Amino acid sequence: MAEREGGPRPGGRSARVQASVHRAVRALLARMDRAEVTIPLIAAEAGVTPSTIYRRWGELNELLADVAVERLRPDMGPVETGSGRGDLLAWAEQYAEEMSSGIGREMIRDVLAAEGAAGPRRCCGYARQQIATIAERAAARGEDFPDLDAVLDGVIAPILFRILFDEALGGKRVGELVEGVFAGVGRRSVPASA
Amino acid sequence: MAEREGGPRPGGRSARVQASVHRAVRALLARMDRAEVTIPLIAAEAGVTPSTIYRRWGELNELLADVAVERLRPDMGPVETGSGRGDLLAWAEQYAEEMSSGIGREMIRDVLAAEGAAGPRRCCGYARQQIATIAERAAARGEDFPDLDAVLDGVIAPILFRILFDEALGGKRVGELVEGVFAGVGRRSVPASA
DNA sequence: CTCCAAACGCAAATAATTTGCTTTTAGCGC
DNA sequence: GCGCTAAAAGCAAATTATTTGCGTTTGGAG
Protein backbone atom coordinates (compact mmCIF):
# COMPACT_ATOMS: atom_id res chain seq x y z
CA MET A 1 0.00 0.00 0.00
CA ALA A 2 3.01 2.24 0.43
CA GLU A 3 4.20 1.99 -3.16
CA ARG A 4 2.47 3.87 -5.93
CA GLU A 5 2.79 1.66 -9.01
CA GLY A 6 5.00 0.39 -11.77
CA GLY A 7 8.68 1.10 -11.29
CA PRO A 8 10.99 -1.52 -9.83
CA ARG A 9 12.55 0.99 -7.45
CA PRO A 10 11.73 4.60 -6.66
CA GLY A 11 15.13 5.89 -7.65
CA GLY A 12 15.78 3.61 -10.61
CA ARG A 13 16.25 4.82 -14.13
CA SER A 14 12.85 3.59 -15.20
CA ALA A 15 11.17 5.55 -12.46
CA ARG A 16 13.28 8.59 -13.23
CA VAL A 17 12.24 8.48 -16.87
CA GLN A 18 8.58 8.09 -15.99
CA ALA A 19 8.72 10.99 -13.59
CA SER A 20 10.54 13.13 -16.09
CA VAL A 21 8.04 12.36 -18.82
CA HIS A 22 5.09 13.02 -16.55
CA ARG A 23 6.60 16.31 -15.47
CA ALA A 24 7.16 17.24 -19.10
CA VAL A 25 3.55 16.49 -19.97
CA ARG A 26 2.24 18.63 -17.15
CA ALA A 27 4.57 21.45 -18.09
CA LEU A 28 3.61 21.39 -21.75
CA LEU A 29 -0.08 21.09 -20.97
CA ALA A 30 0.18 24.17 -18.79
CA ARG A 31 2.08 26.08 -21.44
CA MET A 32 0.22 25.25 -24.64
CA ASP A 33 -2.93 23.83 -26.13
CA ARG A 34 -3.45 20.08 -25.96
CA ALA A 35 -3.77 19.80 -29.71
CA GLU A 36 -0.19 21.03 -30.12
CA VAL A 37 1.37 18.60 -27.69
CA THR A 38 3.13 15.77 -29.49
CA ILE A 39 5.26 12.89 -28.35
CA PRO A 40 8.47 14.24 -29.89
CA LEU A 41 7.82 17.50 -28.06
CA ILE A 42 7.31 15.75 -24.76
CA ALA A 43 10.41 13.66 -25.34
CA ALA A 44 12.48 16.77 -25.95
CA GLU A 45 11.09 18.46 -22.84
CA ALA A 46 11.71 15.37 -20.75
CA GLY A 47 15.18 14.76 -22.14
CA VAL A 48 14.45 11.29 -23.48
CA THR A 49 14.15 9.93 -26.99
CA PRO A 50 10.70 9.62 -28.54
CA SER A 51 11.06 5.91 -29.03
CA THR A 52 11.24 5.44 -25.28
CA ILE A 53 7.82 7.01 -24.93
CA TYR A 54 6.40 5.10 -27.86
CA ARG A 55 7.55 1.81 -26.46
CA ARG A 56 6.34 2.50 -22.99
CA TRP A 57 3.01 4.21 -23.62
CA GLY A 58 2.26 3.39 -27.23
CA GLU A 59 0.44 6.55 -28.12
CA LEU A 60 -0.11 10.05 -26.91
CA ASN A 61 -3.54 9.33 -25.50
CA GLU A 62 -2.27 6.59 -23.25
CA LEU A 63 0.37 8.86 -21.84
CA LEU A 64 -2.03 11.74 -21.32
CA ALA A 65 -4.47 9.39 -19.64
CA ASP A 66 -1.73 8.05 -17.40
CA VAL A 67 -0.83 11.56 -16.31
CA ALA A 68 -4.46 12.55 -15.89
CA VAL A 69 -5.32 9.58 -13.70
CA GLU A 70 -2.47 10.46 -11.44
CA ARG A 71 -3.60 14.06 -11.21
CA LEU A 72 -7.15 13.00 -10.50
CA ARG A 73 -6.17 10.94 -7.49
CA PRO A 74 -7.34 12.77 -4.40
CA ASP A 75 -4.46 13.91 -2.24
CA MET A 76 -6.44 14.02 0.96
CA GLY A 77 -9.55 12.64 2.60
CA PRO A 78 -12.85 14.47 2.47
CA VAL A 79 -13.19 17.34 4.92
CA GLU A 80 -15.22 16.72 8.05
CA THR A 81 -18.17 18.96 8.73
CA GLY A 82 -19.82 17.10 11.59
CA SER A 83 -22.49 15.22 9.67
CA GLY A 84 -22.56 12.77 6.79
CA ARG A 85 -24.86 15.02 4.87
CA GLY A 86 -22.58 18.00 5.34
CA ASP A 87 -19.51 15.95 4.42
CA LEU A 88 -21.11 14.67 1.26
CA LEU A 89 -22.37 18.09 0.26
CA ALA A 90 -19.01 19.73 0.80
CA TRP A 91 -17.19 16.98 -1.02
CA ALA A 92 -19.62 16.92 -3.95
CA GLU A 93 -19.45 20.66 -4.39
CA GLN A 94 -15.70 20.65 -4.48
CA TYR A 95 -15.64 17.64 -6.76
CA ALA A 96 -18.05 19.29 -9.18
CA GLU A 97 -16.04 22.47 -9.22
CA GLU A 98 -12.72 20.75 -9.80
CA MET A 99 -14.07 18.57 -12.56
CA SER A 100 -15.88 21.43 -14.25
CA SER A 101 -12.74 23.47 -14.70
CA GLY A 102 -11.09 23.46 -18.07
CA ILE A 103 -8.21 21.33 -16.91
CA GLY A 104 -10.51 18.95 -15.05
CA ARG A 105 -12.69 18.45 -18.06
CA GLU A 106 -9.67 17.76 -20.23
CA MET A 107 -8.30 15.25 -17.80
CA ILE A 108 -11.57 13.34 -17.73
CA ARG A 109 -11.66 13.24 -21.48
CA ASP A 110 -8.07 12.06 -21.64
CA VAL A 111 -8.84 9.26 -19.23
CA LEU A 112 -11.92 8.19 -21.15
CA ALA A 113 -10.17 8.32 -24.50
CA ALA A 114 -7.52 5.80 -23.49
CA GLU A 115 -7.72 2.21 -24.64
CA GLY A 116 -8.55 0.03 -21.69
CA ALA A 117 -11.17 0.63 -19.06
CA ALA A 118 -8.57 0.71 -16.31
CA GLY A 119 -8.26 4.49 -16.17
CA PRO A 120 -11.94 5.29 -15.83
CA ARG A 121 -12.34 2.54 -13.28
CA ARG A 122 -9.57 3.92 -11.19
CA CYS A 123 -11.12 7.37 -11.25
CA CYS A 124 -14.45 5.90 -10.28
CA GLY A 125 -12.65 4.05 -7.52
CA TYR A 126 -11.18 7.28 -6.18
CA ALA A 127 -14.63 8.79 -5.84
CA ARG A 128 -15.96 5.58 -4.38
CA GLN A 129 -13.27 5.55 -1.76
CA GLN A 130 -13.88 9.13 -0.76
CA ILE A 131 -17.58 8.48 -0.37
CA ALA A 132 -16.92 5.28 1.53
CA THR A 133 -14.82 7.28 3.96
CA ILE A 134 -17.67 9.71 4.47
CA ALA A 135 -20.11 6.83 4.89
CA GLU A 136 -17.92 5.15 7.48
CA ARG A 137 -17.64 8.30 9.50
CA ALA A 138 -21.39 8.69 9.37
CA ALA A 139 -21.89 5.08 10.43
CA ALA A 140 -19.47 5.60 13.33
CA ARG A 141 -21.69 8.44 14.46
CA GLY A 142 -24.75 6.27 14.13
CA GLU A 143 -26.22 8.28 11.28
CA ASP A 144 -28.20 6.97 8.34
CA PHE A 145 -26.28 7.26 5.12
CA PRO A 146 -27.28 6.28 1.58
CA ASP A 147 -25.84 3.33 -0.28
CA LEU A 148 -22.59 3.85 -2.12
CA ASP A 149 -24.33 3.04 -5.39
CA ALA A 150 -27.11 5.48 -4.66
CA VAL A 151 -24.54 8.24 -4.22
CA LEU A 152 -22.62 7.22 -7.32
CA ASP A 153 -25.76 7.17 -9.45
CA GLY A 154 -27.50 10.06 -7.76
CA VAL A 155 -24.69 12.56 -7.31
CA ILE A 156 -21.47 11.65 -9.11
CA ALA A 157 -23.16 10.44 -12.27
CA PRO A 158 -25.16 13.63 -12.91
CA ILE A 159 -22.15 15.81 -12.16
CA LEU A 160 -19.94 14.03 -14.66
CA PHE A 161 -22.70 13.49 -17.18
CA ARG A 162 -23.46 17.19 -17.36
CA ILE A 163 -19.81 18.12 -17.63
CA LEU A 164 -19.25 15.69 -20.43
CA PHE A 165 -22.46 16.00 -22.40
CA ASP A 166 -24.12 19.26 -21.52
CA GLU A 167 -23.17 22.02 -19.14
CA ALA A 168 -21.66 21.77 -15.69
CA LEU A 169 -24.12 21.84 -12.82
CA GLY A 170 -24.09 24.72 -10.38
CA GLY A 171 -23.64 24.35 -6.65
CA LYS A 172 -27.35 24.72 -6.09
CA ARG A 173 -28.23 21.76 -8.23
CA VAL A 174 -25.49 19.67 -6.64
CA GLY A 175 -27.07 20.42 -3.30
CA GLU A 176 -30.41 19.22 -4.58
CA LEU A 177 -28.85 16.00 -5.76
CA VAL A 178 -27.33 15.38 -2.36
CA GLU A 179 -30.68 16.06 -0.74
CA GLY A 180 -32.22 13.65 -3.20
CA VAL A 181 -30.07 10.69 -2.22
CA PHE A 182 -30.68 11.38 1.44
CA ALA A 183 -34.42 11.58 0.82
CA GLY A 184 -34.21 8.08 -0.58
CA VAL A 185 -32.22 6.56 2.28
CA GLY A 186 -33.46 3.11 3.11
CA ARG A 187 -36.03 3.08 0.34
CA ARG A 188 -34.07 0.56 -1.68
CA SER A 189 -33.31 -2.97 -0.46
CA VAL A 190 -35.25 -2.30 2.74
CA PRO A 191 -38.76 -3.69 2.21
CA ALA A 192 -40.40 -1.16 4.50
CA SER A 193 -43.20 1.31 3.73
CA ALA A 194 -43.36 0.33 0.08
CA MET B 1 -36.01 20.20 -40.79
CA ALA B 2 -35.96 18.14 -43.95
CA GLU B 3 -32.27 18.57 -44.63
CA ARG B 4 -29.71 16.73 -42.58
CA GLU B 5 -26.73 19.01 -42.37
CA GLY B 6 -23.73 20.46 -44.15
CA GLY B 7 -23.65 19.90 -47.87
CA PRO B 8 -24.87 22.49 -50.37
CA ARG B 9 -26.95 19.94 -52.20
CA PRO B 10 -27.76 16.32 -51.52
CA GLY B 11 -26.30 15.08 -54.77
CA GLY B 12 -23.33 17.44 -55.02
CA ARG B 13 -19.77 16.30 -55.04
CA SER B 14 -19.17 17.49 -51.52
CA ALA B 15 -22.08 15.46 -50.21
CA ARG B 16 -20.98 12.48 -52.24
CA VAL B 17 -17.52 12.62 -50.74
CA GLN B 18 -18.88 12.95 -47.23
CA ALA B 19 -21.21 10.03 -47.71
CA SER B 20 -18.46 7.93 -49.20
CA VAL B 21 -16.08 8.70 -46.36
CA HIS B 22 -18.70 7.99 -43.73
CA ARG B 23 -19.53 4.72 -45.41
CA ALA B 24 -15.86 3.83 -45.50
CA VAL B 25 -15.47 4.55 -41.81
CA ARG B 26 -18.41 2.37 -40.89
CA ALA B 27 -17.14 -0.42 -43.10
CA LEU B 28 -13.63 -0.33 -41.68
CA LEU B 29 -14.89 -0.08 -38.11
CA ALA B 30 -16.98 -3.17 -38.69
CA ARG B 31 -14.09 -5.03 -40.25
CA MET B 32 -11.16 -4.19 -37.97
CA ASP B 33 -10.11 -2.79 -34.64
CA ARG B 34 -10.41 0.94 -34.12
CA ALA B 35 -6.74 1.28 -33.32
CA GLU B 36 -5.85 0.09 -36.81
CA VAL B 37 -8.08 2.50 -38.66
CA THR B 38 -6.08 5.36 -40.16
CA ILE B 39 -6.97 8.26 -42.39
CA PRO B 40 -5.02 6.95 -45.38
CA LEU B 41 -6.89 3.67 -45.00
CA ILE B 42 -10.23 5.38 -44.90
CA ALA B 43 -9.30 7.49 -47.88
CA ALA B 44 -8.39 4.43 -49.90
CA GLU B 45 -11.63 2.68 -48.94
CA ALA B 46 -13.65 5.76 -49.79
CA GLY B 47 -11.86 6.43 -53.04
CA VAL B 48 -10.65 9.91 -52.11
CA THR B 49 -7.23 11.30 -51.35
CA PRO B 50 -6.15 11.59 -47.73
CA SER B 51 -5.67 15.32 -48.00
CA THR B 52 -9.36 15.73 -48.64
CA ILE B 53 -10.11 14.13 -45.31
CA TYR B 54 -7.42 16.05 -43.52
CA ARG B 55 -8.71 19.34 -44.83
CA ARG B 56 -12.29 18.59 -44.06
CA TRP B 57 -12.08 16.88 -40.69
CA GLY B 58 -8.62 17.74 -39.46
CA GLU B 59 -7.92 14.56 -37.60
CA LEU B 60 -9.14 11.02 -37.21
CA ASN B 61 -10.99 11.68 -33.99
CA GLU B 62 -13.10 14.41 -35.50
CA LEU B 63 -14.13 12.16 -38.32
CA LEU B 64 -14.90 9.25 -36.05
CA ALA B 65 -16.92 11.55 -33.82
CA ASP B 66 -18.80 12.87 -36.80
CA VAL B 67 -19.73 9.38 -37.88
CA ALA B 68 -20.58 8.33 -34.34
CA VAL B 69 -22.91 11.26 -33.74
CA GLU B 70 -24.78 10.39 -36.88
CA ARG B 71 -25.08 6.78 -35.82
CA LEU B 72 -26.26 7.77 -32.37
CA ARG B 73 -29.15 9.80 -33.70
CA PRO B 74 -32.36 7.93 -32.99
CA ASP B 75 -34.09 6.81 -36.13
CA MET B 76 -37.54 6.61 -34.60
CA GLY B 77 -39.60 7.92 -31.73
CA PRO B 78 -39.87 6.02 -28.45
CA VAL B 79 -42.27 3.12 -28.48
CA GLU B 80 -45.67 3.66 -26.86
CA THR B 81 -46.68 1.36 -24.07
CA GLY B 82 -49.76 3.13 -22.78
CA SER B 83 -48.25 5.02 -19.87
CA GLY B 84 -45.44 7.51 -19.39
CA ARG B 85 -43.81 5.23 -16.89
CA GLY B 86 -43.93 2.30 -19.25
CA ASP B 87 -42.64 4.41 -22.13
CA LEU B 88 -39.73 5.70 -20.12
CA LEU B 89 -38.86 2.28 -18.79
CA ALA B 90 -38.94 0.71 -22.23
CA TRP B 91 -36.93 3.51 -23.74
CA ALA B 92 -34.34 3.56 -20.95
CA GLU B 93 -33.82 -0.18 -21.10
CA GLN B 94 -33.26 -0.10 -24.83
CA TYR B 95 -31.02 2.94 -24.53
CA ALA B 96 -28.92 1.29 -21.85
CA GLU B 97 -28.57 -1.84 -23.87
CA GLU B 98 -27.58 -0.06 -27.07
CA MET B 99 -25.06 2.12 -25.34
CA SER B 100 -23.57 -0.75 -23.37
CA SER B 101 -22.68 -2.72 -26.45
CA GLY B 102 -19.12 -2.64 -27.64
CA ILE B 103 -19.92 -0.49 -30.61
CA GLY B 104 -22.11 1.85 -28.55
CA ARG B 105 -19.42 2.34 -25.98
CA GLU B 106 -16.88 3.09 -28.67
CA MET B 107 -19.15 5.61 -30.33
CA ILE B 108 -19.68 7.46 -27.07
CA ARG B 109 -15.97 7.62 -26.49
CA ASP B 110 -15.37 8.85 -30.01
CA VAL B 111 -17.90 11.61 -29.54
CA LEU B 112 -16.41 12.65 -26.22
CA ALA B 113 -12.87 12.61 -27.52
CA ALA B 114 -13.56 15.15 -30.25
CA GLU B 115 -12.48 18.73 -29.86
CA GLY B 116 -15.55 20.88 -29.39
CA ALA B 117 -18.50 20.19 -27.14
CA ALA B 118 -20.89 20.12 -30.08
CA GLY B 119 -20.92 16.35 -30.46
CA PRO B 120 -21.73 15.48 -26.85
CA ARG B 121 -24.36 18.21 -26.75
CA ARG B 122 -26.05 16.82 -29.79
CA CYS B 123 -26.13 13.35 -28.28
CA CYS B 124 -27.57 14.75 -25.09
CA GLY B 125 -30.09 16.59 -27.21
CA TYR B 126 -31.16 13.36 -28.88
CA ALA B 127 -31.95 11.79 -25.52
CA ARG B 128 -33.63 14.97 -24.35
CA GLN B 129 -35.87 14.99 -27.37
CA GLN B 130 -36.88 11.39 -26.94
CA ILE B 131 -37.75 11.98 -23.31
CA ALA B 132 -39.61 15.15 -24.18
CA THR B 133 -41.72 13.16 -26.59
CA ILE B 134 -42.56 10.67 -23.88
CA ALA B 135 -43.34 13.50 -21.47
CA GLU B 136 -45.64 15.20 -23.97
CA ARG B 137 -47.56 12.01 -24.55
CA ALA B 138 -47.91 11.55 -20.81
CA ALA B 139 -49.09 15.14 -20.41
CA ALA B 140 -51.63 14.64 -23.18
CA ARG B 141 -53.01 11.73 -21.18
CA GLY B 142 -53.13 13.85 -18.06
CA GLU B 143 -50.44 11.85 -16.27
CA ASP B 144 -47.80 13.17 -13.91
CA PHE B 145 -44.34 12.96 -15.38
CA PRO B 146 -41.00 13.96 -13.92
CA ASP B 147 -39.02 16.97 -15.08
CA LEU B 148 -36.77 16.54 -18.05
CA ASP B 149 -33.76 17.37 -15.88
CA ALA B 150 -34.80 14.86 -13.26
CA VAL B 151 -34.87 12.15 -15.92
CA LEU B 152 -31.56 13.25 -17.39
CA ASP B 153 -29.85 13.27 -14.00
CA GLY B 154 -31.71 10.34 -12.54
CA VAL B 155 -31.76 7.87 -15.42
CA ILE B 156 -29.55 8.87 -18.36
CA ALA B 157 -26.66 10.09 -16.26
CA PRO B 158 -26.23 6.88 -14.24
CA ILE B 159 -26.57 4.74 -17.35
CA LEU B 160 -23.82 6.59 -19.18
CA PHE B 161 -21.68 7.14 -16.12
CA ARG B 162 -21.54 3.42 -15.40
CA ILE B 163 -20.79 2.55 -18.99
CA LEU B 164 -17.96 5.03 -19.14
CA PHE B 165 -16.44 4.69 -15.70
CA ASP B 166 -17.47 1.39 -14.22
CA GLU B 167 -19.66 -1.38 -15.51
CA ALA B 168 -22.88 -1.15 -17.45
CA LEU B 169 -26.05 -1.32 -15.41
CA GLY B 170 -28.42 -4.22 -15.78
CA GLY B 171 -32.06 -3.90 -16.72
CA LYS B 172 -33.10 -4.34 -13.12
CA ARG B 173 -31.14 -1.37 -11.92
CA VAL B 174 -32.40 0.73 -14.83
CA GLY B 175 -35.91 -0.08 -13.71
CA GLU B 176 -35.09 1.08 -10.21
CA LEU B 177 -33.75 4.34 -11.56
CA VAL B 178 -36.95 4.92 -13.50
CA GLU B 179 -38.97 4.16 -10.39
CA GLY B 180 -36.78 6.59 -8.52
CA VAL B 181 -37.50 9.57 -10.73
CA PHE B 182 -41.22 8.81 -10.62
CA ALA B 183 -41.07 8.57 -6.83
CA GLY B 184 -39.71 12.07 -6.78
CA VAL B 185 -42.32 13.60 -9.11
CA GLY B 186 -43.40 17.00 -7.91
CA ARG B 187 -40.98 17.03 -5.01
CA ARG B 188 -38.79 19.64 -6.65
CA SER B 189 -40.05 23.12 -7.51
CA VAL B 190 -43.42 22.28 -5.98
CA PRO B 191 -43.38 23.50 -2.37
CA ALA B 192 -45.70 20.79 -1.13
CA SER B 193 -45.18 18.28 1.65
CA ALA B 194 -41.63 19.43 2.38
C1' DC C 1 -23.41 30.48 -70.54
C1' DT C 2 -19.81 32.27 -67.92
C1' DC C 3 -17.66 33.32 -63.77
C1' DC C 4 -16.32 32.59 -58.91
C1' DA C 5 -15.30 30.36 -54.93
C1' DA C 6 -15.22 26.17 -52.54
C1' DA C 7 -13.75 21.57 -52.58
C1' DC C 8 -10.96 18.11 -54.53
C1' DG C 9 -6.74 15.65 -56.51
C1' DC C 10 -1.91 15.30 -56.88
C1' DA C 11 2.71 15.33 -55.40
C1' DA C 12 6.45 17.23 -52.81
C1' DA C 13 7.91 18.47 -48.22
C1' DT C 14 7.66 17.83 -43.40
C1' DA C 15 6.74 15.40 -39.20
C1' DA C 16 5.53 11.47 -36.60
C1' DT C 17 5.86 6.51 -35.72
C1' DT C 18 8.02 2.06 -35.99
C1' DT C 19 11.85 -0.95 -35.78
C1' DG C 20 16.47 -3.30 -35.55
C1' DC C 21 20.39 -3.00 -33.11
C1' DT C 22 23.57 -1.29 -29.44
C1' DT C 23 24.32 0.41 -24.86
C1' DT C 24 23.06 1.24 -20.19
C1' DT C 25 21.44 -0.29 -15.81
C1' DA C 26 18.68 -2.39 -12.09
C1' DG C 27 18.04 -6.74 -9.81
C1' DC C 28 20.02 -11.19 -8.52
C1' DG C 29 22.91 -15.09 -7.33
C1' DC C 30 27.34 -15.89 -5.98
C1' DG D 1 31.48 -6.54 -3.83
C1' DC D 2 31.32 -8.93 -8.80
C1' DG D 3 29.78 -10.43 -12.70
C1' DC D 4 25.48 -12.07 -15.17
C1' DT D 5 20.94 -11.37 -17.21
C1' DA D 6 17.00 -9.24 -18.79
C1' DA D 7 14.42 -5.10 -19.04
C1' DA D 8 14.58 -0.50 -20.49
C1' DA D 9 16.78 3.30 -22.94
C1' DG D 10 19.37 5.45 -26.77
C1' DC D 11 20.29 5.89 -31.62
C1' DA D 12 19.43 5.93 -36.42
C1' DA D 13 17.32 4.17 -40.52
C1' DA D 14 12.97 2.91 -42.59
C1' DT D 15 8.25 3.49 -42.83
C1' DT D 16 4.02 5.88 -42.47
C1' DA D 17 1.20 9.77 -41.57
C1' DT D 18 0.32 14.74 -42.03
C1' DT D 19 0.81 19.22 -44.12
C1' DT D 20 1.04 22.23 -47.92
C1' DG D 21 1.34 24.52 -52.55
C1' DC D 22 -0.74 24.47 -56.78
C1' DG D 23 -3.51 23.10 -60.65
C1' DT D 24 -8.24 21.13 -61.72
C1' DT D 25 -13.03 20.16 -61.10
C1' DT D 26 -17.58 21.47 -59.86
C1' DG D 27 -21.69 23.40 -57.85
C1' DG D 28 -24.19 27.61 -57.53
C1' DA D 29 -25.12 32.58 -58.87
C1' DG D 30 -25.54 36.19 -61.98
Side-chain angles (χ1 to χ4, degrees), chain A residues 8-9 12-13 38-39 51 54-55 58:
Chain A
R9 211 161 47 153
R13 179 164 78 161
T38 65
I39 288 187
S51 64
Y54 284 116
R55 278 204 246 256

Side-chain angles (χ1 to χ4, degrees), chain B residues 13-127:
Chain B
R13 178 165 75 160
S14 207
R16 223 163 35 242
V17 166
Q18 150 143 359
S20 176
V21 169
H22 275 219
R23 199 174 330 112
V25 169
R26 285 190 296 268
L28 291 177
L29 245 32
R31 196 186 317 153
M32 58 177 67
D33 198 64
R34 229 232 330 286
E36 306 176 77
V37 176
T38 66
I39 288 188
L41 241 181
I42 296 168
E45 173 88 14
V48 302
T49 65
S51 64
T52 293
I53 298 182
Y54 284 116
R55 278 203 247 257
R56 195 153 165 180
W57 283 279
E59 52 169 334
L60 182 57
N61 256 345
E62 293 297 317
L63 172 55
L64 292 179
D66 199 32
V67 173
V69 168
E70 192 169 309
R71 295 179 83 176
L72 286 169
R73 178 174 43 199
D75 53 348
M76 46 176 218
V79 297
E80 299 202 49
T81 67
S83 74
R85 183 179 300 222
D87 286 1
L88 182 58
L89 179 60
W91 181 81
E93 280 179 340
Q94 183 189 331
Y95 186 79
E97 193 179 316
E98 281 179 10
M99 294 305 192
S100 304
S101 72
I103 181 67
R105 197 184 308 248
E106 283 190 348
M107 288 191 297
I108 301 173
R109 291 187 355 172
D110 286 341
V111 170
L112 288 176
E115 263 308 298
R121 287 250 170 102
R122 212 174 307 172
C123 290
C124 184
Y126 294 155

Side-chain angles (χ1 to χ4, degrees), chain A residues 115-137:
Chain A
E115 262 310 298
R121 287 249 171 103
R122 212 173 307 172
C123 289
C124 184
Y126 294 156
R128 219 184 213 115
Q129 217 164 321
Q130 297 283 97
I131 296 164
T133 299
I134 294 175
E136 281 164 25
R137 287 179 189 162

Side-chain angles (χ1 to χ4, degrees), chain A:
Chain A
M1 267 297 177
E3 63 183 331
R4 293 163 79 119
E5 63 176 301
R9 211 161 47 153
R13 179 164 78 161
S14 208
R16 226 163 34 243
V17 166
Q18 150 145 358
S20 176
V21 169
H22 275 219
R23 198 174 330 112
V25 169
R26 286 190 297 267
L28 291 176
L29 245 31
R31 195 186 317 153
M32 57 177 67
D33 198 64
R34 227 226 340 280
E36 306 176 77
V37 176
T38 65
I39 288 187
L41 241 181
I42 295 168
E45 173 87 14
V48 303
T49 64
S51 64
T52 293
I53 297 182
Y54 284 116
R55 278 204 246 256
R56 195 152 165 179
W57 283 279
E59 54 171 331
L60 181 57
N61 257 345
E62 294 297 317
L63 172 53
L64 291 179
D66 199 32
V67 173
V69 168
E70 192 169 308
R71 296 180 82 176
L72 286 169
R73 178 174 42 198
D75 52 348
M76 45 177 219
V79 297
E80 299 202 48
T81 66
S83 74
R85 184 180 300 222
D87 286 2
L88 182 58
L89 180 60
W91 181 82
E93 280 177 340
Q94 184 189 331
Y95 186 78
E97 193 180 316
E98 281 179 12
M99 295 305 193
S100 304
S101 72
I103 182 68
R105 198 184 308 248
E106 282 189 350
M107 288 191 297
I108 300 173
R109 290 187 355 171
D110 286 341
V111 170
L112 288 176
E115 262 310 298
R121 287 249 171 103
R122 212 173 307 172
C123 289
C124 184
Y126 294 156
R128 219 184 213 115
Q129 217 164 321
Q130 297 283 97
I131 296 164
T133 299
I134 294 175
E136 281 164 25
R137 287 179 189 162
R141 283 188 296 247
E143 301 172 19
D144 271 350
F145 197 85
D147 267 8
L148 195 45
D149 281 333
V151 177
L152 282 177
D153 289 334
V155 180
I156 313 297
I159 288 173
L160 292 175
F161 166 72
R162 297 287 189 162
I163 289 173
L164 290 171
F165 290 93
D166 192 36
E167 198 147 331
L169 296 174
K172 184 160 162 292
R173 179 71 177 134
V174 172
E176 290 173 2
L177 294 172
V178 170
E179 288 307 306
V181 295
F182 271 93
V185 167
R187 191 169 304 158
R188 204 156 53 76
S189 86
V190 175
S193 88

